[in-house]
Amino acid sequence: QKEVEQNSGPLSVPEGAIASLNCTYSDRGSQSFFWYRQYSGKSPELIMSIYSNGDKEDGRFTAQLNKASQYVSLLIRDSQPSDSATYLCAVNRHSGAGSYQLTFGKGTKLSVIP
Amino acid sequence: KAGVTQTPRYLIKTRGQQVTLSCSPISGHRSVSWYQQTPGQGLQFLFEYFSETQRNKGNFPGRFSGRQFSNSRSEMNVSTLELGDSALYLCASSLGPLNEQFFGPGTRLTVL
C-alpha cells in the first residue's frame, strides 16, 4: 500500500462548482496534514494545514481530516479557472528517533472549465 | 519576510560531473528539507536538516549528500551525475519538524 494515495485525475469541474479532492494515508501515527497547490512549472505552494479531526476553513478552501478512517480531503468552493493546478496531499509521519518526514501523494490534477 | 531562495535556478551538466545546489531558508526557520520531483515519481524526500544535523534521509544513493550551516543555509551535492538525476530539486524550510513547510522556486537540473 502506498503511503499517501490520491486520485491522479484529471478532475474536471465547471466554474463556480465545488471541487472535492481526496487523499488517504497508511501510517496511523501521522501527525500533521497539508495541501499544496502546484502550477505547471512552479514549485508547490502551501494552501491548507490541518492537525486535528474535523473541518478547517480558509476562504474558499475547507480541509477535512478523519484520522480513524485515515482520510483527508480538500474542498474548493466557487471554483475558478485560476484554481486549475495539481493539488498535492502531504502527510507528516513519524520516521523514528524523534524525527518526522513529509510524504507526498502524486497529486490530483484539477481543471476548472469556464 | 523573504521566502525560501534557491540557486542556481537552472543547471545543465553532463554525466559523471558533480553539482552543488544551495538553499536559503526563511529567516528564523531552522529546518531545511530537500526533495526531488520528477514526472514519474512525484515529490520524493531526500533529506532533512535541523540545527546543522541531518535528522532524516530518504531512499537515495550515497551520491546524494547535503549539509547545513550555522546560519541554517543548506547545500546539497550530487556526485557522478546520471541521466536519471534530471529533475526539479526543491528545498523547503520550516520552524520545526511538524510545522508547515514552505518551498523555494527549485533548481531545474538537466543531465546530458
Side-chain angles (χ1 to χ4, degrees):
Chain A
Q1 182 186 9
K2 293 179 183 176
E3 293 170 339
V4 180
E5 291 205 59
Q6 297 180 252
N7 189 323
S8 62
L11 173 66
S12 293
V13 300
E15 184 175 354
I18 296 175
S20 178
L21 304 162
N22 305 313
C23 172
T24 57
Y25 59 95
S26 60
D27 186 349
R28 284 195 172 276
S30 298
Q31 299 281 327
S32 49
F33 308 85
F34 307 93
W35 284 98
Y36 288 84
R37 175 175 64 197
Q38 187 173 25
Y39 293 111
S40 180
K42 301 292 185 181
S43 63
E45 173 193 9
L46 178 69
I47 52 173
M48 288 291 286
S49 59
I50 187 164
Y51 296 84
S52 55
N53 279 330
D55 295 359
K56 179 182 178 183
E57 186 175 318
D58 184 1
R60 296 187 296 113
F61 299 98
T62 298
Q64 299 174 316
L65 175 61
N66 184 327
K67 288 187 177 181
S69 300
Q70 295 173 246
Y71 176 90
V72 58
S73 66
L74 179 70
L75 299 177
I76 306 175
R77 290 182 299 280
D78 187 24
S79 295
Q80 300 297 309
S82 58
D83 295 326
S84 298
T86 296
Y87 288 80
L88 300 168
C89 172
V91 175
N92 215 335
R93 60 181 183 84
H94 190 246
S95 57
S99 63
Y100 294 84
Q101 178 174 320
L102 195 60
T103 302
F104 285 81
K106 292 203 172 180
T108 299
K109 188 169 185 177
L110 172 67
S111 181
V112 181
I113 312 300
Chain B
K1 189 184 268 191
V4 180
T5 59
Q6 291 186 247
T7 56
R9 294 292 311 278
Y10 302 92
L11 266 178
I12 299 176
K13 294 284 188 180
T14 56
R15 279 180 299 173
Q17 287 187 308
Q18 75 165 19
V19 66
T20 299
L21 312 181
S22 181
C23 170
S24 292
I26 291 170
S27 178
H29 286 192
R30 296 167 62 191
S31 176
V32 173
S33 298
W34 288 90
Y35 299 88
Q36 181 195 67
Q37 188 173 35
T38 58
Q41 297 299 317
L43 260 167
Q44 292 192 290
F45 172 77
L46 280 157
F47 26 67
E48 186 229 347
Y49 287 87
F50 184 82
S51 294
E52 301 179 65
T53 302
Q54 185 185 90
R55 295 197 306 178
N56 220 340
K57 191 177 192 308
N59 190 24
F60 278 82
R63 301 185 296 108
F64 292 82
S65 63
R67 59 179 176 167
Q68 187 180 34
F69 301 95
S70 58
N71 61 358
S72 294
R73 189 177 70 85
S74 178
E75 289 181 347
M76 68 162 281
N77 184 277
V78 188
S79 62
T80 320
L81 284 166
E82 300 177 0
L83 294 178
D85 296 333
S86 294
L88 180 66
Y89 289 88
L90 292 158
C91 162
S93 78
S94 63
L95 284 169
L98 289 177
N99 297 100
E100 300 152 332
Q101 291 189 15
F102 298 90
F103 283 86
T107 295
R108 173 77 59 185
L109 172 64
T110 302
V111 182
L112 302 176

